[in-house]
Amino acid sequence: MQRRTFVVIASLAGAGFILLVIFMTATGTLKTRHAGTSKSWNQEAIKATYVGTQLKETDKAHSTLVLSYDLENNTDSDYRFDDGPGVVILSRLKADGSLSQQEPIRLSYPVFLPTKQHARLAIEITERFAWPPQEDPAYINKLREFVKQRLAKVGEFVLFDQANHAQVTLPDAWQDLQEAAGTS
């Protein structure tokens, strides 16, 4: 009986030791994971420069506004941006600087940005817009007004790459576009 009791006690002690090791390892992993999520977003890794805006007719009731940017990778790491859950694009509102996700903004295509190089990125916003007939004398003005209204409240767009914890500010150079459109 004593030998059996000794084996049971030794087994329980061994199991307890294994559970203690697992608990300590898991606690360390959780602390590391929590520390990784609380670090700030790297805003210097990638710089964006506005290239241009294009308005495309998607169908008779919808149009897609495409904003293009040149990206510059200032790091020693490659970046890949795909339209999916790891990349989030938000609008920063002019009024108070808050971030908004009221409308769906997506990447036009996947982007590979090698270390210390440039690549082109385009974002798309699709909205309801009855495309005017080309014979309409106000055709160009209607297109410009749609773009102006769509971007009126937006200060800039911000892309968050969750995998690399990088934040890319997509600047608002379309203000110059609106002023130029108003003078022509």
Side-chain angles (χ1 to χ4, degrees):
M1 229 19 197
Q2 278 192 344
R3 184 177 178 141
R4 187 182 245 176
T5 304
F6 175 74
V7 169
V8 169
I9 291 173
S11 296
L12 288 174
F17 178 73
I18 290 172
L19 286 174
L20 180 64
V21 169
I22 290 171
F23 176 74
M24 290 177 71
T25 305
T27 303
T29 303
L30 289 175
K31 284 182 183 176
T32 303
R33 188 175 298 158
H34 177 68
T37 58
S38 66
K39 72 178 183 177
S40 63
W41 292 90
N42 184 349
Q43 298 179 31
E44 303 302 317
I46 300 169
K47 293 295 178 189
T49 306
Y50 175 78
V51 174
T53 301
Q54 181 181 19
L55 184 62
K56 297 191 290 188
E57 182 178 14
T58 307
D59 57 40
K60 292 294 180 195
H62 295 89
S63 293
T64 300
L65 183 61
V66 180
L67 300 161
S68 299
Y69 296 88
D70 181 48
L71 300 181
E72 179 183 2
N73 184 348
N74 297 314
T75 71
D76 294 325
S77 300
D78 296 337
Y79 284 84
R80 180 162 186 78
F81 302 112
D82 290 311
D83 196 33
V87 173
V88 178
I89 305 170
L90 304 172
S91 302
R92 185 174 306 278
L93 302 178
K94 282 183 192 177
D96 60 2
S98 64
L99 294 171
S100 171
Q101 203 169 9
Q102 290 179 337
E103 69 283 324
I105 305 168
R106 58 185 286 281
L107 289 175
S108 294
Y109 44 82
V111 176
F112 176 68
L113 182 57
T115 181
K116 304 290 184 191
Q117 294 190 42
H118 292 256
R120 182 68 45 95
L121 172 131
I123 60 173
E124 296 182 352
I125 306 164
T126 301
E127 290 196 11
R128 294 188 56 77
F129 176 66
W131 201 269
Q134 286 189 340
E135 314 75 64
D136 186 343
Y139 175 78
I140 297 295
N141 289 335
K142 287 180 181 179
L143 298 180
R144 287 181 180 154
E145 188 59 30
F146 171 75
V147 173
K148 183 178 175 183
Q149 286 178 0
R150 172 57 199 91
L151 298 174
K153 296 179 182 177
V154 178
E156 63 192 11
F157 294 98
V158 184
L159 181 147
F160 292 95
D161 174 15
Q162 294 176 332
N164 297 300
H165 225 67
Q167 176 180 334
V168 183
T169 299
L170 305 173
D172 70 338
W174 57 81
Q175 299 305 326
D176 300 332
L177 173 76
Q178 289 178 355
E179 289 170 14
T183 60
S184 61

